[in-house]
């Protein structure tokens, strides 16, 4: 067994020893089988071709379907998309859809202001969601903190802090259009 394999095995044992480290209620834990190989990487379908906020569909496909550990670069949602321009001045929450399936995964901000949502997201480099903003019918957290959709889309990671669960999510993973909709919506 090489060093990398040994280290990976030990990390797995440690995460299995404390499965609630990355998934405390109301979080719904998932298992590795969600991310088994399917027709298109870990998903049954590729990402939508018309992602919201001018997100790069090739980058989204790599992150969502052929990746378990990497992310879009920190600040992508601020620098390489139209996200900030499109949400500027909004007062109501918006919906974030799976870039593969178009299913609703997150609604934000809930229980906080847009300024609080954007400040926390800016501080961490990725859109950062809290428990109340997660659609737990469709989102799961694996033992190592990887956050995924029930359909096998890699979304990001849960990185809890003193306030609780904090889901740092790739914008390219949640820039889909609603299932069955051909038009972009906020």
């Amino acid at each position: 067994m090489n060093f990398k394999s040994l280290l990976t095995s030990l990390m797995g044992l440690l995460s299995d020893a404390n499965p609630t480290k990355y998934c405390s209620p109301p979080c719904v834990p998932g298992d590795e089988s969600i991310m088994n190989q399917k027709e298109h990487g870990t998903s049954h379908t590729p990402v939508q071709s018309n992602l919201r906020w001018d997100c790069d569909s090739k980058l989204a496909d790599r992150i969502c379907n052929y990746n378990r550990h990497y992310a879009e670069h920190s600040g992508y949602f601020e620098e390489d998309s139209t996200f900030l321009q499109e949400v500027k001045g909004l007062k109501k929450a918006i919906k974030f859809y799976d870039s593969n399936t178009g299913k609703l995964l997150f609604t934000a901000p809930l229980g906080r202001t847009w300024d609080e949502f954007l400040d926390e997201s800016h501080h961490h480099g990725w859109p950062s969601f809290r428990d109340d903003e997660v659609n737990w019918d469709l989102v799961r957290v694996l033992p190592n903190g990887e956050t995924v959709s029930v359909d096998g889309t890699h979304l990001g990671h849960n990185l809890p802090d003193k306030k609780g669960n904090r889901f740092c999510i790739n914008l390219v993973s949640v820039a889909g259009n609603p299932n069955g909709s051909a038009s972009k919506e906020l």
Side-chain angles (χ1 to χ4, degrees), residues 160-180:
D161 63 12
K162 64 183 181 200
K163 295 179 187 174
N165 292 319
R166 177 174 46 86
F167 303 93
C168 291
I169 302 300
N170 296 292
L171 184 66
V172 298
S173 298
V174 292
N177 290 288
N179 197 359

Side-chain angles (χ1 to χ4, degrees), residues 50-153:
N50 61 336
L51 294 177
R52 294 159 61 201
W53 307 303
D54 289 333
C55 287
D56 182 325
S57 60
K58 287 183 182 179
L59 174 64
D61 199 43
R62 280 195 315 271
I63 300 246
C64 294
N65 300 313
Y66 295 98
N67 163 61
R68 298 292 307 278
H69 305 289
Y70 300 105
E72 66 200 16
H73 71 81
S74 177
Y76 179 92
F77 79 100
E78 297 171 300
E79 302 161 7
D80 296 314
S81 75
T82 60
F83 179 76
L84 288 182
Q85 296 90 336
E86 292 187 37
V87 301
K88 186 176 184 178
L90 285 181
K91 301 293 184 211
K92 65 177 185 162
I94 64 170
K95 297 176 184 315
F96 296 80
Y97 299 92
D98 187 313
S99 291
N100 287 317
T101 66
K103 294 177 182 177
L104 176 64
L105 300 178
F106 300 92
T107 303
L110 295 177
R112 56 184 173 161
T113 66
W114 265 106
D115 285 342
E116 291 167 328
F117 173 79
L118 292 173
D119 286 346
E120 182 172 64
S121 297
H122 171 76
H123 177 74
H124 297 289
W126 288 268
S128 296
F129 299 91
R130 295 295 177 164
D131 286 326
D132 291 344
E133 298 166 329
V134 181
N135 178 356
W136 289 115
D137 290 336
L138 299 175
V139 175
R140 298 292 181 266
V141 178
L142 304 185
N144 67 353
E146 182 181 6
T147 304
V148 302
S149 77
V150 296
D151 294 300
T153 304

